[in-house]
Amino acid sequence: AAKGEGKGRCQLFHQQMDIDYHYRQRLKADLREALAAGALSLVFQPLLDISSHRVVSCEALARWTHPELGPIPPATFIPLAEEMGIISEITAFVVRSAVAECSQWAGEIGVAVNVSGRDFRGLDLPGLVDEALAESGLSAPRLELEVTETAVIEETDLAQSVLESLSARGISIALDDFGTGYSSLSYLSALPFNKLKIDRSFVQDIAEDERALSLLANVARLGRDLDLTVVAEGVETEDQLRAMLEHTGIQQVQGYFFSRPLPARDIAELISHLNGQTSPLLPAKRKHG
Ligand code: C2E
Ligand code: MG
Ligand code: MG
Ligand code: MG
């Protein structure tokens, strides 16, 4: 029986692999079409400055709604695009659209775009950025590019020269998902980063777990010591925000507690709503008794 079961399981495994394979092949073909047809879109999520309580920028996030399969998360389609060698076309679309949107927003609010490790080789990023800024009239400091540790490690030398040339233009560079990658700290000071975005896994438990809070505080201090603007991703609750305010030197926050990512047409209203709140990010803690 054991043998038979093993065989069955093996068959199931192969069937599953076939399904995965066919599913991925289909997604790849459809993604290529979607990109060509202009069917990808962007949503934007605000980052707030803790001390001024104001929206400082919005992160642009790519969205793809498949006509039959519904929304496909970027965690699925971005790696496919990398595999297919079309990620740079997506990046170009995202940079152009994000910069164009941002130039419509009031005040000095900036926009952040995620860049793939493949883009260092597959794309003339400085050229793309120059073009997008010139077309929209947006000033360089209002654009931020987010790169992950993985992206930087894949292409160390190229990443260094491309990031330096972007940085020389006044564009801000953020290290995204900090703490989830290789955590080789040497390049933190070698590369021209302006901002450290601490991954949301460091935020998740801080309201209940003192050790988690202490870890977050220490990661934040590492960033501050390197003169980086320190951001926490994935703030979902008031308790997380409170713990962060009281015990860490984190300067900016992003997460569902403030807003989910929203389509461009809702951003102006969201910004004026968030910035119209005159109170601090948190109401004063109620005193007991
Ligand atoms: P990321 O750059 O770290 O973006 C933040 C992700 O966290 C977004 O997921 C956002 O919706 C989600 N998020 C924000 N606040 C919260 C929160 O409070 N709780 C939780 N659980 N999640 C929160 P999304 O949009 O699904 O994107 C996932 C990842 O896909 C991004 O992570 C980024 O690495 C990649 N990605 C998205 N758009 C692009 C793009 O245009 N180009 C590239 N290269 N990568 C992209
Ligand atoms: Mg990001
Ligand atoms: Mg991130
Ligand atoms: Mg992330």
Side-chain angles (χ1 to χ4, degrees):
K3 223 177 186 176
E5 244 172 56
K7 198 175 165 197
R9 223 179 279 141
C10 206
Q11 254 168 16
L12 257 178
F13 176 69
H14 284 291
Q15 276 170 15
Q16 187 57 44
M17 274 189 25
D18 281 351
I19 292 167
D20 290 349
Y21 177 79
H22 288 296
Y23 179 70
R24 287 163 55 83
Q25 289 306 108
R26 173 173 183 200
L27 281 187
K28 283 183 176 184
D30 295 350
L31 178 58
R32 196 183 295 281
E33 230 171 77
L35 181 60
L40 297 186
S41 62
L42 292 183
V43 289
F44 297 88
Q45 188 183 34
L47 278 78
L48 287 91
D49 178 78
I50 285 188
S51 60
S52 70
H53 328 132
R54 297 180 76 81
V55 177
V56 285
S57 64
C58 294
E59 179 175 3
L61 296 157
R63 291 292 179 266
W64 176 28
T65 303
H66 190 283
E68 282 133 38
L69 304 169
I72 311 290
T76 302
F77 73 79
I78 294 290
L80 286 181
E82 289 175 337
E83 251 178 72
M84 294 163 70
I86 60 169
I87 185 63
S88 297
E89 290 168 57
I90 294 184
T91 305
F93 157 74
V94 177
V95 168
R96 290 195 189 105
S97 327
V99 163
E101 286 300 336
C102 180
S103 69
Q104 309 294 309
W105 300 339
E108 292 301 294
I109 291 167
V111 75
V113 170
N114 294 282
V115 164
S116 157
R118 307 291 168 98
D119 291 328
F120 292 124
R121 194 171 290 282
L123 191 59
D124 171 18
L125 265 177
L128 169 68
V129 159
D130 286 344
E131 218 183 273
L133 294 179
E135 261 169 38
S136 64
L138 197 77
S139 68
R142 287 177 67 187
L143 175 62
E144 184 158 68
L145 297 181
E146 299 192 359
V147 298
T148 62
E149 296 178 281
T150 320
V152 165
I153 296 229
E154 276 171 8
E155 287 285 1
T156 320
D157 295 347
L158 256 183
Q160 173 126 23
S161 67
V162 172
L163 292 181
E164 270 164 11
S165 119
L166 290 163
S167 190
R169 287 164 163 77
I171 287 151
S172 170
I173 313 290
L175 183 56
D176 203 356
D177 300 346
F178 182 70
T180 60
Y182 295 79
S183 294
S184 149
L185 299 174
S186 55
Y187 62 83
L188 252 188
S189 58
L191 294 177
F193 294 120
N194 304 94
K195 183 181 273 192
L196 197 65
K197 296 189 79 175
I198 303 175
D199 190 72
R200 68 164 180 267
S201 55
F202 289 88
V203 171
Q204 219 153 35
D205 301 326
I206 59 168
E208 303 85 40
D209 181 352
E210 258 178 54
R211 286 160 52 102
L213 181 57
S214 158
L215 183 59
L216 179 66
N218 280 288
V219 175
R221 187 159 59 181
L222 171 73
R224 299 294 302 271
D225 285 348
L226 292 166
D227 281 330
L228 302 171
T229 301
V230 177
V231 186
E233 301 188 290
V235 181
E236 294 183 351
T237 70
E238 187 175 321
D239 288 343
Q240 288 172 340
L241 179 61
R242 190 181 300 283
M244 207 173 274
L245 284 171
E246 291 174 355
H247 301 283
T248 79
I250 282 166
Q251 294 149 297
Q252 296 180 6
V253 281
Q254 177 180 7
Y256 296 165
F257 180 66
F258 307 100
S259 173
R260 295 208 167 237
L262 295 177
R265 62 174 177 277
D266 298 332
I267 287 301
E269 196 182 334
L270 174 72
I271 290 171
S272 70
H273 168 74
L274 289 170
N275 283 354
Q277 294 172 339
T278 46
S279 52
L281 286 184
L282 275 178
K285 200 169 190 168
R286 270 192 304 270
K287 300 258 172 1
H288 292 287

